[in-house]
Amino acid sequence: MSESPTEFELIERWFADLGVADLARIALGVGDDCALLQPQAGEQLALSVDTLVAGVHFPHLADPALVARRALRVNLSDLAATGAQPVAFTLALTLPQVDVDWLSGFASGLAADAQQFGIRLIGGDTTRGEQLTLTLQVMGVVPAGAALLRAGARPGDCIAVSGELGAAAAAVALLERPASSLTAAEQALLTRYWLPEPRLALGQALRGIASAALDLSDGLAGDLSHILRHSGVGAELEEQALPRAAGATGPVPLAQALHGGDDYELCFTYAPGRAAEVAALGRQLGIAITDIGRITAQPGLFIHGRDAQRRALDARGYRHF
Ligand SMILES: [Mg+2]
């Protein structure tokens, strides 16, 4: 099957100069067999890759600019969770056909957010395939040894989350609805789903303060369980402390706050002696940071309910689509 070369020339034009170039660290960008990165002395390269498939991870008819922006933000969230500073990314696109309007919207959304978050597209690949699929790999830098990891939480540490929980899960039910049928509150929820805020500044500021961290992609209970497993500890959460997002008609249900995916907030632990620094960070960055529980030596994940009952918490993630 042969492609129209002019269309692929268009793709090259859209993607050849996209985002902010970190001239100190990107020695060669798009156009050669390989891009060349030059981390500075004492830096480690942080890498993360993510694949999104139309019909599985986003609706087939979704706005291509939003698809692009969300894909980049979701990947940037992994850099944030590591405390890394974004540098560059690559993009592999599989397309059922070359749809110029779709590609133009996709590239403009990608360019806007690459600019906003200070990252540069340094390479990619385009292939024909049955299912629209995009794979992004992000690269960032972190001072050697300073990356935030899932291991490191200690008994007695505070557990905190940024922002609010459950908004994206509440939005999933709205994804297939026509925009004209949505209330303003529902529109706002959808925006939270499509445009999660990668907590890059917070992640970098937590280097040397947080004992463990990750971003919330699959739901608080499931993701926190990764920290517990990697750190060899347990946790007790306080139901009343959970910062539940506002849904379309009041706070989201507890199940969505605990198990709803796609919020891309940071969950991190820190020694109680660092509480003043953590609170100051939240104020400086204008990000709500909420203590939601404590790390325990006893393994397992428990929650204290409003009825003062202590229940074991199922770590299952929230499954959408
Ligand atoms: Mg992650």
Side-chain angles (χ1 to χ4, degrees):
M1 226 180 294
S2 68
E3 302 292 355
S4 153
T6 56
E7 285 164 341
F8 275 84
E9 279 162 18
L10 280 176
I11 292 171
E12 246 180 52
R13 199 180 72 207
W14 278 319
F15 294 118
D17 179 17
L18 193 151
V20 179
D22 177 344
L23 296 174
R25 296 184 178 86
I26 302 174
L28 187 64
V30 170
D32 216 304
D33 293 304
C34 286
L36 294 172
L37 292 185
Q38 181 67 61
Q40 303 292 285
E43 284 181 349
Q44 288 175 323
L45 203 52
L47 299 178
S48 181
V49 66
D50 201 27
T51 292
L52 300 174
V53 181
V56 179
H57 300 104
F58 58 90
H60 284 281
L61 296 177
D63 176 348
L66 289 178
V67 170
R69 296 177 70 187
R70 183 167 185 274
L72 183 59
R73 286 164 180 246
V74 164
N75 274 271
L76 287 166
S77 177
D78 278 324
L79 292 181
T82 306
Q85 169 193 330
V87 175
F89 70 105
T90 59
L91 167 70
L93 267 179
T94 298
L95 303 164
Q97 70 274 324
V98 175
D99 176 337
V100 170
D101 287 341
W102 192 91
L103 274 166
S104 160
F106 182 85
S108 70
L110 198 62
D113 274 4
Q115 193 72 31
Q116 178 179 340
F117 295 107
I119 194 165
R120 176 81 171 173
L121 183 66
I122 57 165
D125 189 25
T126 319
T127 53
R128 184 188 286 272
E130 277 178 30
Q131 204 63 259
L132 171 60
T133 304
L134 45 134
T135 298
L136 266 83
Q137 182 179 44
V138 287
M139 288 151 263
V141 289
V142 63
L148 305 177
L149 307 177
R150 296 173 175 195
R154 287 175 296 264
D157 280 358
C158 305
I159 304 167
V161 292
S162 64
E164 297 174 331
L165 303 173
V172 166
L174 309 172
L175 282 172
E176 308 281 356
R177 293 243 316 260
S180 57
S181 75
L182 299 174
T183 65
E186 289 170 337
Q187 294 273 14
L189 278 176
L190 268 182
T191 302
R192 301 273 291 272
Y193 172 85
W194 281 113
L195 302 176
E197 193 63 38
R199 300 296 191 185
L200 289 159
L202 178 61
Q204 289 166 51
L206 285 172
R207 295 191 305 236
I209 296 177
S211 50
L214 49 56
D215 64 323
L216 296 175
S217 52
D218 299 326
L220 173 67
D223 287 327
L224 177 57
S225 294
H226 297 313
I227 288 183
L228 304 184
R229 194 176 63 254
H230 284 258
S231 301
V233 293
E236 305 217 349
L237 299 179
E238 298 294 333
E239 180 188 328
Q240 267 178 291
L242 296 176
R244 291 197 215 176
T249 57
V252 298
L254 178 62
Q256 278 182 350
L258 286 171
H259 303 294
D262 296 320
D263 281 324
Y264 298 101
E265 294 295 346
L266 295 189
C267 175
F268 60 96
T269 61
Y270 63 95
R274 315 299 297 265
E277 289 164 271
V278 170
L281 276 182
R283 284 193 302 273
Q284 278 164 29
L285 299 172
I287 298 171
I289 294 175
T290 310
D291 276 353
I292 58 168
R294 289 288 180 277
I295 295 293
T296 58
Q298 185 204 353
L301 177 55
F302 298 89
I303 185 165
H304 293 266
R306 289 174 194 275
D307 54 6
Q309 292 293 311
R310 177 178 179 269
R311 288 177 288 127
L313 197 54
D314 179 357
R316 81 195 151 86
Y318 185 86
R319 294 185 197 283
H320 52 87
F321 287 91

